[in-house]
Amino acid sequence: MRLPRLQPAAAREARLPAATVAGTAIGLALFAAGYGRAADVAWAATALGGLVPALRGMVEALRARRAGVDVVAVLAIAGAIALGETLAAAVIGVMLATGQALEAYAAGRAERELTGLLARAPRTARRITGGAVEVVPADAVRAGDLLLVATGDTVPVDGTLLEDQALLDESALTGESRLAEARPGQRIASGAVNAGAPFRLRALATAGESTYAGIIRLVEAARASRSPMTRLADRYAGLFVPVVLLTAGGAWAWSGDPVRALAVLVVATPCPLILAAPIAIVGGISRAAARGVVIKGGGALETLARVQVVFFDKTGTLTAGTPRLERVLAAWGGLDPAEALRLAASLAQVSGHIMSEALVRAAAERGIALSLPGEVREEPGMGLEGEIDGRRLRLGRLPWVCAREPSPAALRLQRRALRYGGSATFLGVDGELAAAFALEDPVRPESGRVVRMLRRLGIGETVMLTGDHPGLAEMVGASLGIDRVLAGLTPPEKVDHVAARAGAPALMVGDGINDAPALAAADVGVAMGARGAAAAAEAADGVIMVDRLDRLVEAMLVARSARRIAVESIVLGMGLSFLAMGFAAAGRIPPVAGALLQEGIDVAAILNALRVLRWQPPRPGAGIPPAVLQSLLEGHRELGALADELRTLAAELDALPPAELAARAKAAAARVRAMVVPHEQQEERDLYPALAARLPGPDPLAAHSRTQAELFRVLRNFERLASDLEPGAEALDPEDVADLRQQLIGLATLLRLNLAQEEDLAALLGLERAPAPAPAAAGTPG
């Protein structure tokens, strides 16, 4: 991976301003000493030195066949020398040179986060070969290499963690201040910094194919991109230059004094229109990068500011993207569930899809040894096909696995799988359906808040596009408040729906290979890059590098702020220039004073454009004590694991003997009361009043209190049911078992809802949400 050479542009540009200032000072000294002719020569030479950047800009504009205000600067200096106003010419030269240096400094400030990303790119790696560790260039690493990442090292390539855990600092990439934990078998992206003990990593890709290389390409595209706002500035310049020339000519004709024409040219040199707009846009890109969103260029940023329709993929975008295996359902043919999982996980090893990762993780949790697949082919949006131990396998969507219209028996298997988990994937062996895998992928805690915030930002419509089962998709969409849900779609159908929007600028958000065409088809595409596929990141106009969907809203707010400030800077610069031209045409501003005034206008426009760098995400929780906020999330890891246990117990009720069922139900009721009730009562008594006093509305936490009340009601019902069970009975009433399952699922759902509400509130108040609990072991296959 070749890295760009970074040089401080502002330092390079400082030489010419220093030379012009020195030349002007020498001329003043000569003039004061009585050497007027020598002073004129010094000032003229200074003016010619300052003319260099104007000539360069004019030539570039002519080559690009566009208008530029640099022609005004050239005419101003030439006119000043011709009229004997050598001091004015020298001052104009100083202003041009310092203006260019100021622009370079401002551009450097605006690109600060982008250049920082480039500078932090990993360049070396520690490769383990034959028990020895050697330091090699990052480009020398190949997939399959065993690497050591020492404390403080940057992860050089994408890889799989081989240790018990790793502690990573991802702040340079994502803007996240808190350290991230990685677990055995987890994929780690290049660019993160090891903040804990050294760990071993199995390389999954070369440096050029890894996450950070994709970020580098995005950053380079962002720096090279020419924003539509910049092109708009060029069009304004095409109108501005004729107005300047006509005003200068009119002032000369009306007064008969060519110096007035010169003064008009001077106050219009250079135009802040050309300086301020690009700086504001690049500043917006840089500020978005600081918040963990890399945007390819100014065009994408401006389109993001004007979006009216937002399309979401579901899996990995609106959901957490870390599904876990709930149950293996064998179909027919006598295939053992454990063997079905082994075959599916063996094939899934070669895929980065989140469902494939869930199967591999479940096999690892059960200690199942996997085989190496051969002749693997991935069909985007459908699944995987390959060979394991001489068997031809397909893993993915039901119609594709069946290779024909699913039979009634296959559809019944699908319905069973969807009852156990939120989604399902299917395994075909030698052309026959062999098993279904029920997977649960929880909705991201921030997804509902993102949809609500988009609506408050004026987004006209939100649409979910997914290949999942319509029933599941409708349930997720309704829970989040999505306007339209389109389910059961193939990748081409997603593209058709994105392309069929009614003329409003559209944004597509996705993460998988199957989302790449839709991301490219939208006016602006944003990929979830923290866990998403490289193809999605390459096709998108922007990448969210942190695993947080709410950064999308922040990127939109940054984009709107940058565009607004760019327009303000254009209006400010143009307005002040026209006002100064009027005074110059009336003879109120001499050329020397006009040059100084124009420099002041430039400074004002650039400083206004740099305001975008001060943008900060809104923090409604300002003033709330940190201890109060922190207590909001205490115990969430344990309570989340408890909700998972309740769901697992509900799925296993039919397979448990009566005595064990009664005992586990009573134990679950006692555990819920011991863990949940004190937590909720303490929050209702101490925490909620403190928060409500600082939030708008008469009762801002009413929904939280109602959820708690319903949770306590269902818990009481479950306790009564559990206490009525007879441990010594040979059989239990099926209606009691059904009621128990209903109450268990209700408890788990309400507990998850309550935790999501609290995490949503914490995120709104500016507190990072609690780390997700470790995935619980999936239910026993059967």
Side-chain angles (χ1 to χ4, degrees):
M1 178 176 59
R2 296 187 63 186
L3 299 175
R5 186 180 178 187
L6 300 175
Q7 295 180 344
R12 294 197 311 269
E13 298 293 343
R15 294 186 296 238
L16 186 58
T20 56
V21 170
T24 304
I26 290 171
L28 289 171
L30 290 171
F31 183 81
Y35 298 100
R37 295 292 298 272
D40 287 336
V41 171
W43 287 332
T46 299
L48 293 176
L51 191 61
V52 170
L55 285 171
R56 187 168 56 209
M58 187 175 72
V59 170
E60 289 176 357
L62 290 175
R63 284 179 178 173
R65 297 183 179 180
R66 56 182 173 84
V69 296
D70 298 290
V71 66
V72 179
V74 173
L75 290 175
I77 290 179
I81 293 175
L83 294 173
E85 295 278 352
T86 53
L87 176 58
V91 173
I92 296 170
V94 172
M95 296 304 104
L96 286 174
T98 55
Q100 185 179 26
L102 181 62
E103 181 183 8
Y105 166 77
R109 280 284 313 279
E111 287 190 343
R112 184 169 47 194
E113 280 81 11
L114 295 180
T115 54
L117 286 172
L118 295 174
R120 286 188 292 267
R123 291 171 171 80
T124 61
R126 303 176 194 268
R127 185 166 59 192
I128 302 175
T129 307
V133 179
E134 57 175 338
V135 178
V136 299
D139 289 339
V141 176
R142 295 292 176 263
D145 285 354
L146 183 61
L147 306 177
L148 175 69
V149 183
T151 303
D153 280 0
T154 300
V155 178
V157 298
D158 294 353
T160 302
L161 178 65
L162 301 180
E163 309 297 348
D164 289 339
Q165 70 171 28
L167 200 60
L168 301 171
D169 177 4
E170 300 176 335
S171 59
L173 293 175
T174 66
E176 289 284 332
S177 57
R178 71 188 298 162
L179 299 178
E181 269 186 35
R183 299 183 180 278
Q186 183 174 327
R187 183 187 181 103
I188 296 179
S190 59
V193 176
N194 181 13
F199 60 82
R200 293 172 303 148
L201 192 75
R202 179 72 68 183
L204 294 174
T206 64
E209 297 168 344
S210 292
T211 300
Y212 207 92
I215 293 171
I216 293 295
R217 289 190 288 272
L218 284 173
V219 170
E220 289 175 335
R223 298 179 82 199
S225 169
R226 205 167 141 72
S227 163
M229 182 69 73
T230 306
R231 293 193 290 270
L232 178 64
D234 292 339
R235 290 199 296 272
Y236 275 118
L239 297 173
F240 185 74
V241 171
V243 170
V244 170
L245 297 178
L246 286 174
T247 304
W252 188 355
W254 177 52
S255 66
D257 183 3
V259 175
R260 289 198 184 185
L262 175 62
V264 171
L265 295 175
V266 167
V267 295
T269 309
C271 179
L273 173 73
I274 304 301
L275 303 179
I279 288 170
I281 296 301
V282 173
I285 294 173
S286 186
R287 196 70 197 101
R291 296 299 300 163
V293 184
V294 175
I295 299 174
K296 281 186 179 178
L301 187 84
E302 290 190 57
T303 305
L304 189 61
R306 297 184 293 106
V307 161
Q308 291 297 314
V309 179
V310 178
F311 292 92
F312 290 103
D313 172 52
K314 183 182 77 68
T315 305
T317 302
L318 292 172
T319 61
T322 53
R324 69 173 184 274
L325 180 64
E326 289 283 346
R327 187 163 291 247
V328 181
L329 302 171
W332 40 84
L335 185 65
D336 179 75
E339 175 65 7
L341 178 58
R342 186 188 74 83
L343 292 173
S346 296
L347 181 59
Q349 291 178 102
V350 299
S351 172
H353 194 278
I354 56 174
M355 289 191 175
S356 297
E357 292 177 355
L359 294 176
V360 174
R361 188 165 56 246
E365 290 169 356
R366 290 163 171 76
I368 298 175
L370 304 181
S371 301
L372 188 66
E375 300 180 17
V376 179
R377 179 177 68 90
E378 184 161 5
E379 184 75 21
M382 294 296 178
L384 291 167
E385 185 175 12
E387 190 172 294
I388 302 289
D389 301 337
R391 297 179 174 183
R392 195 68 189 169
L393 307 182
R394 275 193 173 189
L395 178 68
R397 298 180 65 185
L398 181 61
W400 187 72
V401 167
C402 293
R404 57 183 179 274
E405 188 69 25
S407 66
L411 293 175
R412 283 197 299 273
L413 182 69
Q414 182 184 48
R415 286 194 294 271
R416 286 183 62 204
L418 292 175
R419 282 201 299 269
Y420 283 110
S423 58
T425 189
F426 300 86
L427 175 69
V429 178
D430 295 328
E432 294 295 331
L433 181 64
F437 303 93
L439 298 120
E440 179 68 21
D441 185 15
V443 172
R444 290 178 181 272
E446 72 270 20
S447 291
R449 176 165 48 88
V450 168
V451 173
R452 294 192 299 272
M453 292 177 72
L454 289 175
R455 191 166 287 117
R456 287 198 294 270
L457 288 178
I459 298 301
E461 185 179 31
T462 54
V463 185
M464 184 170 75
L465 306 176
T466 179
D468 275 354
H469 189 273
L472 171 64
E474 289 288 349
M475 181 179 68
V476 172
S479 69
L480 297 177
I482 298 287
D483 295 321
R484 266 200 305 155
V485 175
L486 302 173
L489 302 179
T490 62
E493 289 172 337
K494 288 185 178 183
V495 173
D496 291 341
H497 284 291
V498 171
R501 61 193 179 278
L507 164 68
M508 172 69 192
V509 191
D511 76 311
I513 294 175
N514 59 324
D515 297 321
L519 289 168
D523 293 297
V524 58
V526 174
M528 300 292 294
R531 294 178 182 165
E538 293 291 340
D541 300 293
V543 177
I544 300 175
M545 298 183 294
V546 61
D547 195 29
R548 291 277 297 272
L549 184 60
D550 51 5
R551 294 299 172 89
L552 172 70
V553 177
E554 291 190 13
M556 294 181 69
L557 289 171
V558 170
R560 291 186 177 191
S561 177
R563 191 174 190 278
R564 185 186 68 253
I565 289 174
V567 172
E568 287 175 357
S569 299
I570 289 175
V571 172
L572 172 68
M574 293 280 286
L576 291 176
S577 292
F578 280 126
L579 183 63
M581 285 165 54
F583 279 99
R588 300 296 181 88
I589 301 177
V592 174
L596 296 172
L597 176 61
Q598 182 57 52
E599 182 68 3
I601 293 173
D602 292 346
V603 170
I606 288 174
L607 290 178
N608 186 66
L610 286 174
R611 283 193 301 121
V612 71
L613 295 178
R614 297 200 301 270
W615 183 91
Q616 292 291 335
R619 297 294 187 195
I624 298 177
V628 173
L629 286 176
Q630 190 59 49
S631 66
L632 185 64
L633 298 182
E634 286 181 357
H636 276 211
R637 184 190 294 270
E638 293 77 12
L639 293 175
L642 176 60
D644 293 339
E645 292 174 16
L646 296 175
R647 284 185 60 86
T648 300
L649 178 59
E652 294 176 348
L653 288 181
D654 291 332
L656 295 177
E660 184 179 352
L661 189 155
R664 288 185 62 179
K666 291 176 182 178
R671 189 164 182 211
V672 172
R673 177 160 290 280
M675 290 183 64
V676 175
V677 173
H679 173 85
E680 301 298 334
Q681 287 178 338
Q682 186 270 336
E683 287 186 344
E684 184 72 34
R685 182 183 64 251
D686 301 328
L687 178 61
Y688 286 0
L691 293 177
R694 292 170 172 83
L695 293 173
D699 191 7
L701 296 172
H704 296 69
S705 297
R706 286 198 295 270
T707 301
Q708 284 185 347
E710 182 65 12
L711 179 62
F712 292 158
R713 186 189 69 81
V714 175
L715 174 59
R716 286 193 295 271
N717 288 342
F718 177 65
E719 287 175 326
R720 282 196 294 267
L721 278 171
S723 64
D724 289 343
L725 296 177
E726 298 179 10
E730 294 184 1
L732 296 177
D733 189 331
E735 291 186 2
D736 287 342
V737 176
D739 288 342
L740 274 175
R741 181 181 295 108
Q742 181 181 1
Q743 299 300 324
L744 279 168
I745 294 174
L747 274 176
T749 302
L750 285 167
L751 185 54
R752 276 291 183 193
L753 174 61
N754 181 253
L755 297 179
Q757 285 176 329
E758 292 180 357
E759 289 172 359
D760 188 44
L761 178 62
L764 180 65
L765 296 174
L767 184 67
E768 300 294 344
R769 61 184 168 95
T780 304

